[in-house]
Amino acid sequence: MRNNLFVAGLMVGFLFSTTVSAQGKNKSSEGDEVLRTTPKLVVGIIVDQMRYDYLTRFYTHFGNDGFKRLIEQGFNCKNNHYNYAPTYTGPGHTSVYTGTTPSVHGIIANDWYDKETGTDVYCASDVSYTSVGTTADAGKMSPHRMTVTTITDEVRLSTQMRGKTIAIALKDRGAVLPGGHTANAAYWFHGANEGKWITSSYYMAQLPKWVMDFNTSGKAQSYKKAWNTLKDIKEYKESGPDDNAYEGLFEGETTPTFPHSTTALLDKTNDFDLIKSTPYGNSFTADFAIEALQQESLGKDEITDFLAVSFSSTDYVGHKYGVNSKEVQDTYVRLDEDLARLFKALDKNVGEGEYTVFLTADHAAIEVPAYLKDQKIPAGYVDNEAISEKFSEFLKYKYGTTDIVKNYSNFQLFLDHEIIKNLDLELAAVEEDIAREFLGYDGVDRVYTANQMWQNEYTQGIPYILQNGYNQKRSGDVLIVLKPNFISYSHTGSTHGSPQIYDTHTPLLFYGKGIKPGSTVSRTEIPDIAPTISALLGISFPSGTSGKPLTMVLE
């Protein structure tokens, strides 16, 4: 009996010690999970010029594995906005990845007037580096004008540079800026007469063999083909008539109608830039991204990698045809298939549940004002020539010279502070006088001054958006806002850049490891993306972060 009790005691003791040991292990594991989520790969996707309503308008045409997969299995931020202007590609990509606005990160536009040098500069240009993969100047790029770190930088830093970052886009700025300062590689498409993916000596001395092999595979040439709708055009009831006066033309076309199969598209073997203006540019980007995923072994170990992909053809198509066109609808139906291909490749190469995705846009777009006018909606176009002439007369009358203005770009006036000083004038007074003058011009809705941006702290509305876009060292002295639905652009096609809601409202979808399925109509802002990913990973926020983590998105 005593022996049986002894054995029973040993068994209880063994079971208790095993339970305690297991509980201790589980607590340690659970503690780590509370601190961070460790996807093998983070995939950032930016769709150039994507309005939020494209998700809802075209939803019934999407398959189950592209946009719907993100929406139905991920988290959908339905009221997501850019909180600054101007809403352009360069600042958009930068703001997504830095978690802040141009007021902090310094990328105030695609191109801007540099007050220090008195010259125009491009957001990604850098003549101190050389092109890699081409003899053209198209590769002389770097992220040096971006003054803070990105989420991609922070992932690299947190892994002691062992995690890889690869950034890909048709546009150079769509790859260089998301890649951050520490990317292993950023690749963009050089069309012209070459049709190659290229990079800069900032990243490497020569292209990897897999990129050179891809460039000689004939893929680019294969996408120079007739563009017809993926589905029967009669099914595209969510967009306007195919033949209308609001759309641009390819060379050789007489009407903006399907199929697009002009000589320019099919026979100009030396003009690869044409691919950008068709949905095939997105397919080509997906092909290259999938190849990079495989060849660079992204997501193959426990150290988090980052793949940043921007789909740029949506912007080219939107600019040419406008947001209500059959062409835009077909482009998104086809992009849905390209996303499905990418996600399936991620499932296969990284593993389902082992990666995290976010998808957003770098800006949205306006309806074609000519179309809106025909629907009796207030809209129109600004006559720049008439405004310039009238403003020059004002300057001569008021100050005796037009030299008081150095530059006008991105709806901002840059004044010559030295001339103002020599004329014994107060800068703030000159700014206000010019602002009042512009308020009287057709198409102008409101005007703000640099002095206002310096002296006030705005928390809502248009001035809040302008202030977030205002960089003290780089922005101008007078900021002009056009009336809603008024643009300075061609009478065909859509554009963007304003602080108006049709340019700021973009999708924001999260999906995958560490993401809680659901949705919200609470306002979210673009700078919230990077700190959300940082919080998920348990790493430092980008150095200029002004956004906040979206707690409702995270498990």
Side-chain angles (χ1 to χ4, degrees):
M1 180 69 178
R2 187 178 297 174
N3 287 340
N4 289 340
L5 289 172
F6 178 72
V7 171
L10 282 177
M11 289 296 293
V12 170
F14 173 77
L15 289 171
F16 178 76
S17 65
T18 303
T19 302
V20 169
S21 176
Q23 286 177 342
K25 184 177 181 181
N26 287 341
K27 283 182 179 178
S28 175
S29 175
E30 287 170 5
D32 188 55
E33 288 178 2
V34 168
L35 284 172
R36 60 179 178 170
T37 301
T38 54
K40 293 182 177 180
L41 180 66
V42 177
V43 183
I45 300 173
I46 295 182
V47 182
D48 206 322
Q49 200 190 119
M50 184 175 183
R51 291 162 55 110
Y52 176 80
D53 67 339
Y54 289 162
L55 288 178
T56 55
R57 278 175 57 196
F58 307 144
Y59 191 78
T60 57
H61 293 277
F62 296 149
N64 293 324
D65 298 316
F67 286 114
K68 281 186 178 179
R69 181 173 180 178
L70 301 183
I71 294 168
E72 295 176 2
Q73 299 178 40
F75 197 97
N76 181 10
C77 299
K78 299 178 179 180
N79 187 22
N80 182 65
H81 292 271
Y82 275 85
N83 63 341
Y84 69 83
T87 41
Y88 294 139
T89 297
H93 283 74
T94 309
S95 298
V96 168
Y97 281 85
T98 60
T100 191
T101 60
S103 63
V104 177
H105 62 60
I107 305 299
I108 61 171
N110 293 335
D111 305 88
W112 66 86
Y113 175 73
D114 188 327
K115 293 189 284 191
E116 291 185 8
T117 64
T119 61
D120 291 331
V121 297
Y122 175 60
C123 61
S125 64
D126 193 341
V127 295
S128 61
Y129 293 96
T130 58
S131 300
V132 175
T134 179
T135 57
D137 290 339
K140 294 182 177 181
M141 304 287 167
S142 87
H144 75 109
R145 299 190 199 280
M146 181 169 57
T147 59
V148 297
T149 64
T150 59
I151 180 62
T152 43
D153 288 328
E154 297 301 336
V155 169
R156 290 272 285 153
L157 291 169
S158 72
T159 62
Q160 298 301 311
M161 304 309 228
R162 291 177 294 170
K164 279 187 177 180
T165 291
I166 307 292
I168 293 165
L170 292 179
K171 296 179 180 180
D172 48 44
R173 57 188 178 272
V176 171
L177 299 170
H181 302 277
T182 61
N184 298 84
Y187 300 107
W188 53 95
F189 181 61
H190 176 52
N193 62 345
E194 296 185 54
K196 295 178 180 178
W197 292 92
I198 66 169
T199 190
S200 162
S201 61
Y202 178 86
Y203 305 100
M204 63 190 71
Q206 64 180 31
L207 292 175
K209 184 178 183 301
W210 73 264
V211 177
M212 292 189 284
D213 290 344
F214 190 94
N215 282 338
T216 58
S217 67
K219 277 276 188 182
Q221 185 61 43
S222 72
Y223 283 123
K224 292 194 64 180
K225 58 185 180 181
W227 174 18
N228 208 343
T229 53
L230 183 65
K231 297 184 177 183
D232 187 335
I233 197 169
K234 294 178 182 177
E235 294 183 32
Y236 290 172
K237 298 177 181 178
E238 297 78 14
S239 48
D242 191 29
D243 192 2
N244 62 70
Y246 316 119
E247 301 177 5
L249 302 170
F250 277 113
E251 181 183 331
E253 287 185 326
T254 56
T255 61
T257 54
F258 283 106
H260 299 290
S261 56
T262 68
T263 300
L265 279 173
L266 302 179
D267 297 339
K268 276 192 173 180
T269 56
N270 287 333
D271 190 359
F272 286 96
D273 282 322
L274 287 164
I275 297 172
K276 299 176 183 178
S277 296
T278 74
Y280 304 132
N282 289 332
S283 301
F284 192 39
T285 302
D287 293 342
F288 191 71
I290 292 169
E291 190 72 8
L293 172 70
Q294 297 168 345
Q295 296 294 335
E296 296 288 348
S297 299
L298 299 178
K300 286 296 187 182
D301 56 29
E302 300 307 312
I303 300 171
T304 302
D305 297 323
F306 209 114
L307 176 62
V309 184
S310 180
F311 290 99
S312 309
S313 286
T314 42
D315 185 65
Y316 291 102
V317 174
H319 277 294
K320 180 180 280 290
Y321 293 103
V323 303
N324 196 44
S325 63
K326 301 290 187 194
E327 284 78 6
V328 161
Q329 179 163 1
D330 190 65
T331 296
Y332 278 89
V333 172
R334 289 178 179 273
L335 175 59
D336 182 62
E337 292 197 340
D338 291 324
L339 289 173
R341 286 197 297 123
L342 177 59
F343 297 152
K344 288 176 181 177
L346 290 166
D347 290 340
K348 179 180 178 181
N349 290 273
V350 182
E352 290 188 60
E354 294 295 338
Y355 59 90
T356 304
V357 177
F358 67 81
L359 181 148
T360 188
D362 56 352
H363 51 75
I366 186 176
E367 290 267 15
V368 180
Y371 166 71
L372 294 178
K373 285 182 69 177
D374 287 345
Q375 308 309 311
K376 300 180 181 179
I377 295 173
Y381 298 87
V382 174
D383 188 339
N384 288 325
E385 189 174 333
I387 288 178
S388 179
E389 184 176 333
K390 187 175 181 180
F391 184 54
S392 293
E393 292 176 0
F394 163 79
L395 291 175
K396 291 175 185 175
Y397 175 79
K398 183 77 175 178
Y399 306 110
T401 177
T402 60
D403 292 340
I404 204 167
V405 176
K406 279 186 171 183
N407 183 270
Y408 173 73
S409 55
N410 301 307
F411 298 100
Q412 297 181 17
L413 286 162
F414 293 77
L415 305 182
D416 192 318
H417 294 195
E418 285 299 315
I419 290 180
I420 291 172
K421 184 178 180 181
N422 291 338
L423 291 173
D424 291 327
L425 299 171
E426 291 292 331
L427 177 61
V430 173
E431 290 175 356
E432 186 170 335
D433 285 342
I434 290 175
R436 290 183 183 280
E437 172 68 13
F438 261 92
L439 272 177
Y441 293 173
D442 292 340
V444 174
D445 186 50
R446 58 183 80 187
V447 188
Y448 293 87
T449 67
N451 187 55
Q452 289 176 297
M453 296 293 111
W454 279 63
Q455 298 299 322
N456 301 302
E457 183 176 353
Y458 300 105
T459 59
Q460 61 184 357
I462 296 294
Y464 163 75
I465 292 173
L466 291 180
Q467 192 166 53
N468 283 330
Y470 181 83
N471 186 281
Q472 290 185 339
K473 285 193 171 184
R474 295 180 176 177
S475 296
D477 298 288
V478 179
L479 290 68
I480 299 163
V481 180
L482 300 183
K483 291 179 180 178
N485 297 324
F486 275 71
I487 60 174
S488 174
Y489 195 66
S490 163
H491 285 223
T492 59
S494 294
T495 191
H496 51 86
S498 81
Q500 306 294 351
I501 200 164
Y502 45 72
D503 281 340
T504 68
H505 190 193
T506 58
L508 176 54
L509 306 171
F510 293 91
Y511 166 84
K513 192 168 186 177
I515 302 301
K516 180 172 63 179
S519 66
T520 183
V521 292
S522 296
R523 181 180 173 93
T524 61
E525 296 181 337
I526 285 294
D528 299 336
I529 298 171
T532 299
I533 297 299
S534 289
L536 181 144
L537 298 175
I539 64 174
S540 294
F541 290 10
S543 60
T545 298
S546 56
K548 61 187 184 303
L550 300 174
T551 56
M552 65 282 201
V553 167
L554 304 177
E555 286 185 342

